[in-house]
Every structure is written in C-alpha cells, then in structure tokens.
Amino acid sequence: MTEIRQSAQPAAAPPRMGFFTDTSVCIGCKACEVACKEWNAIPADEVSLTGMSYDNTGGLGASTWRHVAFIEQRKPLGGQEPGVAHDASHAGVDVFDAAGRLGGTVPPPEAAGQAAPAGGVSPVSPDGRTELRWLMSSDVCKHCTEAGCLDVCPTGSLFRTEFGTVVVQEDICNGCGYCVPACPYGVIDQRPDDGRAWKCTLCYDRLGEGMEPACAKACPTDSIQFGPLDELRERAAARVSRLHAAGVTDARLYGESPDDGVGGDGAFFLLLDEPEVYGLPPDPVVATRDLPAMWRHAGAAALALAAGAAACFLGRNR
C-alpha cells in the first residue's frame, strides 16, 4: 500500500519555460518563421514585399506566429545619431572596412564609380557614407505572467500550461475577440474566415515530448534560446554585461523584469535600441490589472447610492 501511495503522488511541476531572443546575433534568415509554419501547419502568408526592407509579413497575426523585423538605421555600427547622448567610442567604425578585414566580401569601389581610397577598402553606398546598420529581431507572443488575454476569455479556450505558457484551444474558441484588445503587445489575432483567435503556443505539443520549440531548433545563430526562464534571465544578464564591456552600451533587456506591467514576459529580448524602434510598447501594462480596484470602486458607489435611496425613502415616510 505504501508503494501504491508513493507512485500515485503527482510528479513535481516542471520549471517555467520560455524564450530569450538575442537580437544582437539575429541574421534575419527567417528560419524561425518557416519552422513555425511547418510544424504548426499555419496557413501561408501572401508573400509580397511590403516596401519595408525584406519584411514581407509586417507583424504578428493569426497566421504569423513568428515575425522577423528588419529595421534599417542611418547609424554606424556601434555609433549613434549625432546630437544624441550615447557612447560615441565606436562612432567611426567603417562597417564595410571591418567586413573586408574579417574576410567578408566587399564590392570594389569601381562598381559604384568611386575612386579607390588610400585605405584600400571603400564603402559602396549612394552617397559614399557608412552610417548604416540593420537591426533584426524575431518577435513572438510574450506568454505574459499576468496575461490579459487569459483573464478575459469567457470560454476557457485560453489556458495556462504546466510550463507557464499561455495556449489557445482553437476547438473551444467561440470567436468573441475579447482577447485581442486585452493583449498589450497586439499579438493575438483572429482569422477572417471563422473569427477564432490564434497565436504562438510555444510548441506545447513538443514541450510535452521533451523537445524544444521548432523556431529555437531551427535558429542557426542561437538568437532564439529556449529553456527554464530563470536560467535564461541569468544568461541574458551576462550577455548584456559582455556587450557593455565590448562598447555596445545601447544593449538592454526588454520584458525580463517581474516588476513590469505584465509581471514579466515568458519570452523576452535583448535589444540594441529603444523598444519603440522594434515596434514594441515601452511600458506594457496588462489591460485587466486595474479590474479589482474598479470593481471595488463600483461596489462602493453602488452601496452609497443604495444607502442614499434608503435614507430618502425613510425620510419621506416620517
């Protein structure tokens, strides 16, 4: 009997799992987008250039659970815009010259009708300048600690898994759409054909088999890292420290703090610029955070009205 009781006890809950996306090593290959679609059988997007660099999806949606953003900036590698208070110790870095010295392929200056410089390697650009950098980032559902979408779902379609992630059960979703405005990141979306909501599941079916999510598995540079959330936070803090020591003072973490407006994200990022540059809200707040206080105030107001009406009624009877 003792053995039966011991074997019947539930196993310890697994640690909370999540993503750490290090955008400093993202190369924009979109392997994560393709792997996500293939594994989850997500319908294809209309493949057409948006006019925004090589971004052909534009953002997250019901049929785009991973989105690779391409942000072009007229900033030198390691430097910043003139007049902005940033560390300018790398402001003179010539990215094309660096590529040549590191074994990269640089077009000859004659290709752009320019004279060969004294240094031997010339940047090739329309105006001959080198103030250009590309920021690339693979965005995804944040799997918030305090998930507004989960709070407002009336059918239980959205639920919290044993891994701490938030998943939509499409067979239970009734298409009400309450979850869409409740997400502070604008992640969750409805498909136009039936109105049901869809988003990243952090490959819940793979996690149950001890496998990492398809996007992280496919990432060739380990820009997308998967694992226990506490370990990822430690790893991310160490990465930021190394970048700062190397002179990349703009490196910062986004979504890792449990003290933010959503209680910390299950998918957080290392960014090389302000969150707004990547299309992320600078201070996300779960839409349902103030609901308890609102209900308390509404209840107090209702009691006050009821007390006033009772007083008027009793006073008239006298």
Side-chain angles (χ1 to χ4, degrees):
M1 291 295 292
T2 302
E3 292 180 358
I4 294 176
R5 290 195 186 97
Q6 289 177 349
S7 63
Q9 290 180 353
R16 184 179 179 186
M17 308 300 283
F19 284 131
F20 163 47
T21 302
D22 183 352
T23 67
S24 69
V25 294
C26 178
I27 59 175
C29 66
K30 302 187 184 181
C32 54
E33 287 189 9
V34 175
C36 178
K37 282 188 173 292
E38 286 184 343
W39 179 262
N40 295 289
I42 303 173
D45 297 300
E46 294 183 8
V47 180
S48 60
L49 293 178
T50 62
M52 298 167 58
S53 185
Y54 290 104
D55 185 349
N56 61 348
T57 50
L60 296 173
S63 298
T64 306
W65 299 358
R66 270 278 179 189
H67 166 245
V68 178
F70 292 75
I71 300 108
E72 294 179 355
Q73 294 183 323
R74 284 203 163 273
K75 295 182 180 181
L77 183 65
Q80 303 299 331
E81 294 281 5
V84 180
H86 290 288
D87 179 13
S89 60
H90 290 68
V93 173
D94 185 332
V95 294
F96 294 93
D97 177 65
R101 286 186 283 103
L102 294 174
T105 301
V106 180
E110 293 78 12
Q114 300 176 359
V121 178
S122 171
V124 178
S125 57
D127 57 357
R129 299 172 66 102
T130 61
E131 296 177 0
L132 174 67
R133 72 172 180 177
W134 237 353
L135 302 181
M136 302 172 188
S137 174
S138 180
D139 197 10
V140 72
C141 172
K142 313 308 181 290
H143 295 274
C144 308
T145 300
E146 299 174 14
C149 59
L150 185 63
D151 292 338
V152 302
C153 181
T155 65
S157 171
L158 281 143
F159 74 102
R160 178 86 61 182
T161 74
E162 66 271 29
F163 302 103
T165 59
V166 179
V167 174
V168 182
Q169 301 173 95
E170 63 274 9
D171 56 333
I172 300 177
C173 178
N174 65 357
C176 67
Y178 294 166
C179 55
V180 175
C183 175
Y185 297 101
V187 167
I188 197 164
D189 191 22
Q190 296 171 274
R191 287 187 184 161
D193 55 349
D194 60 7
R196 292 184 296 170
W198 303 79
K199 72 173 192 67
C200 162
T201 66
L202 218 148
C203 285
Y204 182 44
D205 53 345
R206 292 173 66 95
L207 299 192
E209 299 297 326
M211 304 165 64
E212 66 179 329
C215 57
K217 183 71 173 178
C219 182
T221 63
D222 279 340
S223 172
I224 302 172
Q225 301 177 33
F226 166 76
L229 196 57
D230 290 339
E231 294 181 12
L232 292 178
R233 286 171 174 164
E234 294 178 3
R235 191 184 308 169
R239 173 63 175 164
V240 170
S241 297
R242 290 196 299 272
L243 287 174
H244 286 176
V248 187
T249 56
D250 278 348
R252 84 283 308 272
L253 295 180
Y254 176 84
E256 91 293 351
S257 175
D259 299 324
D260 64 14
V262 296
D265 291 329
F268 64 98
F269 302 79
L270 186 154
L271 305 179
L272 298 179
D273 209 322
E274 299 294 337
E276 300 93 319
V277 173
Y278 296 84
L280 297 169
D283 187 21
V285 175
V286 61
T288 55
R289 181 185 64 175
D290 297 325
L291 277 179
M294 292 169 61
W295 281 114
R296 286 195 298 269
H297 292 155
L303 288 175
L305 287 173
C312 291
F313 179 77
L314 292 175
R316 187 175 62 179
N317 286 343
R318 290 178 183 176

Short mmCIF file of all heavy atoms in Angstrom, two decimals, residues 137-162:
data_model
loop_
_atom_site.label_atom_id
_atom_site.label_comp_id
_atom_site.label_asym_id
_atom_site.label_seq_id
_atom_site.Cartn_x
_atom_site.Cartn_y
_atom_site.Cartn_z
N SER A 137 15.14 41.34 -35.61
CA SER A 137 14.57 40.77 -34.40
C SER A 137 13.41 39.86 -34.74
O SER A 137 12.54 40.22 -35.52
CB SER A 137 14.08 41.88 -33.46
OG SER A 137 13.42 41.35 -32.33
N SER A 138 13.39 38.69 -34.13
CA SER A 138 12.31 37.73 -34.32
C SER A 138 11.31 37.88 -33.18
O SER A 138 11.58 37.51 -32.05
CB SER A 138 12.86 36.30 -34.37
OG SER A 138 11.81 35.37 -34.57
N ASP A 139 10.15 38.44 -33.50
CA ASP A 139 9.13 38.71 -32.49
C ASP A 139 8.20 37.51 -32.35
O ASP A 139 8.05 36.70 -33.27
CB ASP A 139 8.34 39.94 -32.89
CG ASP A 139 7.54 40.53 -31.73
OD1 ASP A 139 7.76 40.10 -30.58
OD2 ASP A 139 6.71 41.43 -31.97
N VAL A 140 7.55 37.43 -31.18
CA VAL A 140 6.70 36.28 -30.87
C VAL A 140 5.77 36.67 -29.71
O VAL A 140 5.97 37.72 -29.08
CB VAL A 140 7.57 35.06 -30.48
CG1 VAL A 140 8.20 35.25 -29.12
CG2 VAL A 140 6.78 33.75 -30.56
N CYS A 141 4.79 35.85 -29.42
CA CYS A 141 3.94 36.05 -28.24
C CYS A 141 4.80 36.05 -26.99
O CYS A 141 5.73 35.26 -26.86
CB CYS A 141 2.88 34.96 -28.16
SG CYS A 141 1.93 34.98 -26.60
N LYS A 142 4.50 36.94 -26.05
CA LYS A 142 5.34 37.10 -24.86
C LYS A 142 4.99 36.13 -23.73
O LYS A 142 5.73 36.04 -22.76
CB LYS A 142 5.25 38.53 -24.35
CG LYS A 142 5.38 39.62 -25.41
CD LYS A 142 6.61 39.46 -26.27
CE LYS A 142 6.73 40.56 -27.30
NZ LYS A 142 5.74 40.51 -28.39
N HIS A 143 3.89 35.43 -23.79
CA HIS A 143 3.48 34.48 -22.75
C HIS A 143 3.61 35.13 -21.37
O HIS A 143 4.34 34.66 -20.49
CB HIS A 143 4.30 33.19 -22.85
CG HIS A 143 4.06 32.43 -24.11
ND1 HIS A 143 3.02 31.52 -24.24
CD2 HIS A 143 4.68 32.45 -25.32
CE1 HIS A 143 3.03 31.01 -25.46
NE2 HIS A 143 4.03 31.57 -26.14
N CYS A 144 2.87 36.23 -21.21
CA CYS A 144 2.99 37.08 -20.03
C CYS A 144 2.67 36.33 -18.73
O CYS A 144 1.86 35.40 -18.71
CB CYS A 144 2.04 38.27 -20.14
SG CYS A 144 2.16 39.20 -21.68
N THR A 145 3.30 36.79 -17.65
CA THR A 145 2.98 36.25 -16.33
C THR A 145 1.55 36.63 -15.95
O THR A 145 0.79 35.81 -15.43
CB THR A 145 3.96 36.80 -15.29
OG1 THR A 145 5.29 36.40 -15.65
CG2 THR A 145 3.64 36.26 -13.90
N GLU A 146 1.19 37.87 -16.19
CA GLU A 146 -0.19 38.33 -15.99
C GLU A 146 -0.78 38.56 -17.39
O GLU A 146 -0.60 39.63 -17.98
CB GLU A 146 -0.22 39.61 -15.17
CG GLU A 146 0.38 39.43 -13.77
CD GLU A 146 0.48 40.74 -13.01
OE1 GLU A 146 -0.15 41.73 -13.46
OE2 GLU A 146 1.17 40.78 -11.99
N ALA A 147 -1.45 37.55 -17.90
CA ALA A 147 -1.91 37.57 -19.29
C ALA A 147 -3.34 38.10 -19.37
O ALA A 147 -4.28 37.46 -18.90
CB ALA A 147 -1.83 36.18 -19.90
N GLY A 148 -3.48 39.27 -20.00
CA GLY A 148 -4.81 39.85 -20.15
C GLY A 148 -5.71 39.00 -21.01
O GLY A 148 -6.91 38.88 -20.74
N CYS A 149 -5.17 38.37 -22.05
CA CYS A 149 -5.99 37.52 -22.92
C CYS A 149 -6.60 36.37 -22.13
O CYS A 149 -7.76 35.98 -22.34
CB CYS A 149 -5.15 37.00 -24.07
SG CYS A 149 -3.70 36.04 -23.58
N LEU A 150 -5.82 35.83 -21.21
CA LEU A 150 -6.28 34.72 -20.39
C LEU A 150 -7.38 35.18 -19.42
O LEU A 150 -8.35 34.45 -19.17
CB LEU A 150 -5.10 34.15 -19.60
CG LEU A 150 -5.30 32.91 -18.76
CD1 LEU A 150 -5.69 31.73 -19.62
CD2 LEU A 150 -4.03 32.58 -17.98
N ASP A 151 -7.25 36.40 -18.91
CA ASP A 151 -8.22 36.92 -17.94
C ASP A 151 -9.60 37.13 -18.54
O ASP A 151 -10.61 36.94 -17.86
CB ASP A 151 -7.72 38.24 -17.35
CG ASP A 151 -6.49 38.06 -16.48
OD1 ASP A 151 -6.26 36.94 -15.99
OD2 ASP A 151 -5.75 39.06 -16.27
N VAL A 152 -9.65 37.55 -19.81
CA VAL A 152 -10.94 37.95 -20.38
C VAL A 152 -11.62 36.85 -21.18
O VAL A 152 -12.77 37.01 -21.59
CB VAL A 152 -10.77 39.19 -21.29
CG1 VAL A 152 -10.17 40.35 -20.52
CG2 VAL A 152 -9.92 38.87 -22.51
N CYS A 153 -10.96 35.73 -21.40
CA CYS A 153 -11.56 34.66 -22.21
C CYS A 153 -12.77 34.05 -21.51
O CYS A 153 -12.65 33.51 -20.40
CB CYS A 153 -10.52 33.57 -22.49
SG CYS A 153 -11.14 32.22 -23.52
N PRO A 154 -13.95 34.10 -22.11
CA PRO A 154 -15.16 33.61 -21.43
C PRO A 154 -15.40 32.11 -21.55
O PRO A 154 -16.25 31.56 -20.85
CB PRO A 154 -16.28 34.38 -22.13
CG PRO A 154 -15.77 34.56 -23.53
CD PRO A 154 -14.28 34.74 -23.40
N THR A 155 -14.67 31.44 -22.44
CA THR A 155 -14.95 30.02 -22.69
C THR A 155 -13.90 29.08 -22.12
O THR A 155 -14.08 27.87 -22.18
CB THR A 155 -15.05 29.75 -24.21
OG1 THR A 155 -13.76 30.00 -24.81
CG2 THR A 155 -16.10 30.65 -24.85
N GLY A 156 -12.79 29.63 -21.61
CA GLY A 156 -11.70 28.77 -21.17
C GLY A 156 -10.85 28.27 -22.31
O GLY A 156 -10.05 27.35 -22.13
N SER A 157 -11.02 28.88 -23.47
CA SER A 157 -10.20 28.49 -24.62
C SER A 157 -8.72 28.75 -24.34
O SER A 157 -7.85 27.96 -24.69
CB SER A 157 -10.64 29.25 -25.87
OG SER A 157 -9.74 29.05 -26.94
N LEU A 158 -8.43 29.87 -23.70
CA LEU A 158 -7.06 30.20 -23.31
C LEU A 158 -6.79 29.61 -21.94
O LEU A 158 -7.59 29.74 -21.01
CB LEU A 158 -6.87 31.72 -23.28
CG LEU A 158 -6.66 32.37 -24.64
CD1 LEU A 158 -7.34 33.72 -24.71
CD2 LEU A 158 -5.18 32.51 -24.92
N PHE A 159 -5.64 28.94 -21.81
CA PHE A 159 -5.30 28.36 -20.51
C PHE A 159 -3.80 28.42 -20.29
O PHE A 159 -3.01 28.55 -21.23
CB PHE A 159 -5.80 26.92 -20.41
CG PHE A 159 -5.01 25.93 -21.22
CD1 PHE A 159 -4.06 25.09 -20.62
CD2 PHE A 159 -5.21 25.80 -22.59
CE1 PHE A 159 -3.34 24.18 -21.37
CE2 PHE A 159 -4.48 24.90 -23.35
CZ PHE A 159 -3.54 24.08 -22.74
N ARG A 160 -3.42 28.34 -19.01
CA ARG A 160 -2.01 28.33 -18.63
C ARG A 160 -1.54 26.88 -18.51
O ARG A 160 -2.13 26.08 -17.80
CB ARG A 160 -1.84 29.04 -17.28
CG ARG A 160 -0.41 29.07 -16.76
CD ARG A 160 0.37 30.21 -17.29
NE ARG A 160 -0.18 31.51 -16.94
CZ ARG A 160 0.33 32.67 -17.33
NH1 ARG A 160 1.41 32.68 -18.09
NH2 ARG A 160 -0.24 33.81 -16.99
N THR A 161 -0.46 26.56 -19.22
CA THR A 161 0.04 25.18 -19.22
C THR A 161 0.92 24.93 -18.00
O THR A 161 1.27 25.85 -17.26
CB THR A 161 0.84 24.89 -20.48
OG1 THR A 161 2.11 25.55 -20.40
CG2 THR A 161 0.11 25.37 -21.72
N GLU A 162 1.32 23.69 -17.83
CA GLU A 162 2.22 23.34 -16.73
C GLU A 162 3.61 23.92 -16.90
O GLU A 162 4.41 23.96 -15.96
CB GLU A 162 2.31 21.81 -16.58
CG GLU A 162 2.97 21.09 -17.74
CD GLU A 162 1.99 20.69 -18.83
OE1 GLU A 162 0.97 21.39 -19.01
OE2 GLU A 162 2.26 19.67 -19.52
#
